[in-house]
Amino acid sequence: MEKKRTQVEEGAPASAASPGVKTGELAVRDVPSSTDVASARVRVNKAYKMYVGGAFVRSESGRYTQVHGNGAGADPETVNVPRGSRKDVRDAVLVAKNAADKWAARSAYNRGQILYRLAEVTESRTPELVESLVRAGSSPADAAREVAAAVDRTVFYAGFCDKISSLFSSHNPVSGPHFGFTIPNPMGVVGVVAPDAPSLLGLVSTILPIIATSNVVVATASETDPRTAIVWSECLATSDLPGGVVNILTGQAAELAPQLAKHREVMAFDGTFGPKATELRAELERLGADSVKRVKTRSNLSTGEWFDDRKGQGIAWVERYIESKTVWHPVGV
Amino acid sequence: MSDITKGAPGVPQAGTPASFALDFGKAWEYAPAPESPDHVKIAPKYELFIGGKWTAPQSKKYFDTVNPATEQKLAEVAEASAADVDAAVVAARTAFEKYWAKMPGKERAKYIFRIARAIQEKARELAIVETMDGGKPIKESRDFDIPTAAAHFFYHAGWADKLEYAFHGRKARPLGVAGQIIPWNFPFLMAAWKIAPALACGNTVVLKPAETTPLTALLLAQIIEECELPPGVVNIVTGAGATGAALVDHPGIDKIAFTGSTAVGKRIQRAVAGTKKRLTLELGGKAANIVFADAPIDQAIEGIVSGIFFNQGHVCCAGSRLLLEESVHDVVIRKLKDRMATMRLGDPLDKNTDIGAINSKAQLERIKELVASGELEGAERHSLACTIPEKGYWFPPTFFTNAGQAFRIAREEIFGPVLTIMTFRTPDEAIEKANNTMYGLSAGVWTDKGSKIFHMATQLKAGVVWGDTFNKFDPSSPFGGFKESGFGREGGRQGLGAYVEVE
């Protein structure tokens, strides 16, 4: 363990000098002894990047936010996470829009299988996700519980993809020689502001019902724990989910959300906010009006509600992202 | 424009001859067949209907409602001020808490069934007043507006005690007081679309009809009074934009339902931002009516005509962009001209009239302005050459060919009897052009091939897609838009969602 900590600073000498890191303490703790230097392996640190169009990218702005850990795990004490810009939002929306039609054209069964694959991949990355949540402040037990819930939620939506249309469709017994029916359609690009906490379960619970209904997503991750969202993005990237269907930006919601709310190619916006965001929420709803956007902003759920199988998932989540299309088909010989 | 209306007395000339292929001669001359308004009594003055009582406005102001076909004043109507709106909202809240929310669904249902029955009983009177106040042909108000309105009440009455079935067993609670603002194109039908589902779901209502067409909503208030609904369950406040704004801004409102222009819809959505009010919007459209070469062409011509000329084109889902497969362009244009030559513009009360009066002077000016822009941008105009009555507001059925997608007449909602015609070569091109709009309310597809209708319906970004038909409505059929045509649905099981909070 001691050796590991030493390597942390060796691998990231720049961060040792950056503000917020207790350099004095580190200097004492982390200077390798002369015997260690000869035998120690220098660890490769991961550069954390945003997930856009199936690729991991830095912010076009070149800005970053430093996220601090609690000293456990594989990362250095401080990692640099991209601070997404408004331009990043616009780029991501374009990528998402281009992915939308192909995603919607896939069969419901195929979408379900991809989500199930996501559950498998997430399950297998449990240790890494737990570690990330712990680094952000969860207890190991809480973190394990959150990852398990996120996997189970993924399985829930995997099995929902091919039921949604049946549940929301109707045959309309219209007068006249017509066969009338109404089917759910996706809205298109949905903008999401994920809750700060729970950083994994909140993100997963918000995004999955959107893609299960054939929409595509541009989301901003938890501001307080963006690293976990990036680890989850690595699950997305290895789950057969086509690039561009889910795009995850890291950065500040107050800066990025207005861009999502007013972008004309974003058809719906769904944001979860803390109690202090009243002004921001009203502003986002106003901005959305310019394109008659389906804007919903909500107060964050309690932890218990996020974990609850009736409140944190289900049909009410799915119906938010459905556009009903009514068709009158001719009947006759 | 050239030749043909010469010698066609049914479609007399307005100086400029039109290029119709057929000459109907004397055969097309009809004797006048006006519906008699003798049976109908329009009061000289109407008050506000608040808390079950006819109440003089606190503003003490009244405005005139005129017959757009004659420019004659029909009645004076109260102008509700913010204080009047407040009184109506308070009455609705009281009625919600005291009666309507407590009443079992099966009892609510019976009141709504009563309304449906009373509308059927008074159908003739309602149709005549609708036509006099709004200018639409009597054949439409008589055969479409009023019967469909009755059907909406009948349909929704049956939902009142079955709401749990509608949401997969989830409990549905009413929202409370619904503020509803409706337009002038289908004054009575829109009142039914708004009030019927709201009441069925257990809400109480404050409804504001359009300022140019308030009369039938006030007759509906009389019906509601005669049906002995508890006081305050339905309140009708007449007025213009300021009255509507007072309703939208009122803190005692739980839900706003608006049908009207996209511009006003956006303003309402902005006003509601940051509040807990629920909102549904049914806004403008620029529907594509797509005709494939394999379509039953004669049937399609009827659909094109009813798609754009129904109710003088004052229809949010009007088929105002006609997309023709290139190979049938010429034959469709020829047949369309022939069909238009048979259309009669004039007295809306005449049972043979196809094109009634434009609803208001302001709307007529807007239509003229957009038509002028079409000519200016280089599209080729064809209008029915017919006599325009001296009094009233009129616009002849018109279409444009050689229009580009970027022309204003191809992008903006004209809300009049004006059709913009363009062509396509492949289904993909048709889809691309049809979806190339900020609107997404409706679309039409004409083809003999069922699989093609399904394919096109899947690809078109529109809330309603009509296959081999157009402008059809049914209370069981959800209606509403994609994109900037609004959100929320009206009608069908899906429409109930606009008036309940579901667990």
Side-chain angles (χ1 to χ4, degrees):
Chain A
M1 202 62 209
E2 182 60 37
K3 197 179 271 181
K4 241 183 185 173
R5 284 182 169 232
T6 304
Q7 286 166 352
V8 165
E9 290 317 310
E10 294 226 347
S15 64
S18 57
V21 177
K22 295 170 192 165
T23 45
E25 197 189 315
L26 288 171
V28 175
R29 204 181 54 192
D30 294 330
V31 171
S33 67
S34 52
T35 48
D36 281 345
V37 171
S39 60
R41 175 181 175 273
V42 175
R43 195 198 56 227
V44 177
N45 288 330
K46 177 156 76 186
Y48 285 89
K49 297 184 187 174
M50 308 190 294
Y51 182 60
V52 177
F56 290 91
V57 299
R58 294 197 176 84
S59 171
E60 61 79 36
S61 68
R63 300 178 306 174
Y64 63 94
T65 311
Q66 290 201 313
V67 179
H68 302 259
N70 61 359
D75 282 334
E77 288 286 330
T78 305
V79 297
N80 300 318
V81 173
R83 182 180 153 194
S85 66
R86 290 175 298 178
K87 174 83 161 70
D88 288 323
V89 171
R90 293 196 296 273
D91 292 345
V93 169
L94 191 65
V95 164
K97 175 149 174 67
N98 288 336
D101 286 350
K102 280 191 176 159
W103 179 238
R106 286 183 183 244
S107 71
Y109 176 45
N110 184 249
R111 282 195 302 272
Q113 287 186 98
I114 289 171
L115 288 198
Y116 191 76
R117 176 74 184 151
L118 176 63
E120 292 172 348
V121 170
T122 312
E123 175 90 31
S124 73
R125 282 187 191 245
T126 296
E128 199 182 341
L129 286 161
V130 169
E131 202 172 73
S132 180
L133 289 169
V134 168
R135 269 178 275 152
S138 280
S139 75
D142 284 350
R145 210 163 70 87
E146 186 175 339
V147 175
V151 172
D152 290 353
R153 196 139 289 169
T154 312
V155 173
F156 173 84
Y157 284 109
F160 212 166
C161 289
D162 52 4
K163 320 290 184 292
I164 290 165
S165 191
S166 308
L167 288 172
F168 289 97
S169 292
S170 61
H171 167 253
N172 313 318
V174 299
S175 305
H178 310 280
F179 181 78
F181 60 95
T182 299
I183 45 171
N185 263 46
M187 291 176 167
V189 183
V190 180
V192 162
V193 172
D196 282 343
S199 60
L200 177 65
L201 187 59
L203 182 71
V204 169
S205 304
T206 311
I207 286 180
L208 294 187
I210 300 176
I211 61 172
T213 41
S214 311
N215 296 284
V216 294
V217 181
V218 175
T220 67
S222 160
E223 250 181 74
T224 50
D225 177 20
R227 180 166 39 187
T228 301
I230 293 173
V231 175
W232 185 62
S233 298
E234 291 164 10
C235 301
L236 295 171
T238 50
S239 67
D240 300 334
L241 188 78
V245 172
V246 175
N247 305 278
I248 297 177
L249 305 175
T250 50
Q252 297 176 359
E255 183 185 5
L256 304 182
Q259 195 66 34
L260 280 173
K262 70 182 173 195
H263 199 298
R264 286 188 178 274
E265 299 289 1
V266 176
M267 292 294 146
F269 176 86
D270 194 337
T272 303
F273 295 90
K276 285 178 193 157
T278 323
E279 270 305 303
L280 176 62
R281 286 173 59 182
E283 174 63 10
L284 294 171
E285 292 179 12
R286 261 193 298 276
L287 287 171
D290 286 336
S291 51
V292 198
K293 203 179 293 331
R294 290 83 173 120
V295 186
K296 266 225 167 79
T297 68
R298 63 191 84 243
S299 302
N300 201 356
L301 304 178
S302 69
T303 309
E305 285 170 327
W306 279 115
F307 277 88
D308 186 88
D309 280 350
R310 291 197 67 82
K311 300 227 167 71
Q313 67 184 26
I315 200 164
W317 284 83
V318 164
E319 71 190 350
R320 290 174 190 160
Y321 313 108
I322 279 177
E323 201 77 85
S324 285
K325 180 185 280 175
T326 296
V327 180
W328 296 60
H329 195 279
V331 172
V333 288
Chain B
M1 295 203 276
S2 64
D3 66 78
I4 218 259
T5 38
K6 255 182 275 172
V11 276
Q13 294 171 69
T16 327
S19 61
F20 301 124
L22 298 181
D23 185 343
F24 295 101
K26 290 270 182 203
W28 220 244
E29 197 171 3
Y30 282 19
E35 181 78 45
S36 165
D38 296 350
H39 168 71
V40 172
K41 285 189 208 81
I42 296 176
K45 189 157 124 179
Y46 286 91
E47 309 291 0
L48 307 169
F49 187 66
I50 297 175
K53 292 198 174 66
W54 294 95
T55 313
Q58 294 180 41
S59 68
K60 296 197 170 61
K61 283 191 208 155
Y62 293 82
F63 61 94
D64 294 345
T65 183
V66 301
N67 182 337
T70 62
E71 298 181 52
Q72 275 168 356
K73 174 175 160 183
L74 291 168
E76 273 177 22
V77 179
E79 184 181 324
S81 63
D84 297 308
V85 169
D86 181 59
V89 174
V90 169
R93 173 66 55 194
T94 307
F96 177 72
E97 285 165 4
K98 215 167 151 188
Y99 313 109
W100 208 240
K102 286 185 188 161
M103 192 182 287
K106 66 172 187 174
E107 304 302 326
R108 282 204 313 271
K110 287 187 273 184
Y111 279 114
I112 305 168
F113 277 124
R114 273 190 197 175
I115 298 172
R117 281 308 207 209
I119 291 170
Q120 290 171 331
E121 287 160 12
K122 293 187 169 192
R124 180 189 156 106
E125 174 189 2
L126 290 165
I128 291 170
V129 176
E130 192 74 321
T131 284
M132 291 174 76
D133 202 20
K136 66 173 63 203
I138 186 74
K139 70 170 182 187
E140 289 177 11
S141 51
R142 182 194 62 201
D143 298 344
F144 174 71
D145 293 66
I146 307 302
T148 313
H152 263 268
F153 279 104
F154 199 93
Y155 174 83
H156 285 96
W159 270 124
D161 56 354
K162 302 170 191 68
L163 292 173
E164 271 174 58
Y165 305 147
F167 299 98
H168 308 106
R170 291 184 293 161
K171 267 229 152 22
R173 285 189 294 107
L175 301 172
V177 178
Q180 307 179 316
I181 300 171
I182 56 171
W184 44 259
N185 56 343
F186 297 96
F188 192 77
L189 181 58
M190 286 301 111
W193 276 32
K194 292 283 180 285
I195 294 175
L199 296 190
C201 293
N203 304 276
T204 56
V205 163
V206 179
L207 176 100
K208 189 200 89 68
E211 67 268 31
T212 61
T213 54
L215 290 184
T216 47
L218 294 162
L219 296 185
L220 180 60
Q222 279 174 3
I223 286 173
I224 283 162
E225 193 181 20
E226 287 160 15
C227 290
E228 297 172 334
L229 264 74
V233 169
V234 176
N235 306 274
I236 311 273
V237 289
T238 42
T243 309
L247 190 54
V248 169
D249 292 336
H250 198 289
I253 291 281
D254 298 296
K255 192 239 155 67
I256 293 289
F258 172 74
T259 296
S261 72
T262 291
V264 176
K266 288 178 178 179
R267 250 185 283 160
I268 291 174
Q269 191 178 354
R270 235 170 266 137
V272 167
T275 72
K276 287 199 174 355
K277 289 172 195 168
R278 294 262 304 258
L279 178 67
T280 44
L281 298 172
E282 203 271 87
L283 309 176
K286 193 74 191 174
N289 201 1
I290 303 166
V291 180
F292 285 99
D294 63 2
I297 297 291
D298 289 335
Q299 197 186 329
I301 296 294
E302 292 307 309
I304 294 164
V305 165
S306 75
I308 187 61
F309 301 135
F310 176 56
N311 198 30
Q312 296 77 245
H314 300 328
V315 184
C316 47
C317 53
S320 53
R321 285 184 300 153
L322 179 62
L323 298 178
L324 297 176
E325 188 161 349
E326 214 172 74
S327 58
V328 290
H329 175 270
D330 293 351
V331 62
V332 169
I333 298 295
R334 180 174 56 76
K335 284 176 180 262
L336 184 59
K337 281 181 179 173
D338 289 351
R339 177 63 180 84
M340 278 168 66
T342 70
M343 297 190 80
R344 283 147 201 290
L345 177 147
D347 181 7
L349 280 173
D350 192 308
K351 289 168 221 164
N352 291 321
T353 292
D354 298 302
I355 303 287
I358 299 301
N359 186 265
S360 64
K361 193 160 193 282
Q363 185 56 30
L364 180 60
E365 293 308 319
R366 170 154 176 83
I367 295 168
K368 284 180 175 169
E369 198 255 323
L370 273 158
V371 165
S373 85
E375 291 179 304
L376 199 70
E377 287 186 287
E380 199 175 310
R381 174 182 170 181
H382 172 89
S383 286
L384 172 67
C386 57
T387 304
I388 303 289
E390 277 174 21
K391 283 271 181 190
Y393 318 122
W394 311 90
F395 200 87
T398 294
F399 67 75
F400 281 101
T401 51
N402 290 329
Q405 287 191 84
F407 288 14
R408 284 184 67 200
I409 51 166
R411 288 185 295 117
E412 295 181 31
E413 187 177 37
I414 300 174
F415 224 63
V418 182
L419 177 66
T420 304
I421 302 176
M422 291 170 287
T423 59
F424 66 91
R425 288 181 179 175
T426 66
D428 283 348
E429 188 188 347
I431 290 160
E432 186 70 36
K433 284 184 168 168
N435 289 338
N436 183 15
T437 167
M438 68 176 188
Y439 296 113
L441 191 49
S442 65
V445 179
W446 296 84
T447 168
D448 204 25
K449 203 172 168 192
S451 59
K452 214 178 204 170
I453 293 177
F454 284 121
H455 173 75
M456 296 297 289
T458 314
Q459 302 298 314
L460 289 166
K461 291 189 165 49
V464 182
V465 179
W466 285 293
D468 285 1
T469 187
F470 212 94
N471 274 345
K472 286 284 194 319
F473 307 90
D474 194 284
S476 73
S477 188
F479 181 91
F482 282 32
K483 301 198 276 187
E484 295 196 14
S485 288
F487 44 74
R489 292 293 176 270
E490 295 183 292
R493 178 172 62 71
Q494 290 84 343
L496 300 172
Y499 289 99
V500 287
E501 186 69 52
V502 189
E503 245 177 30

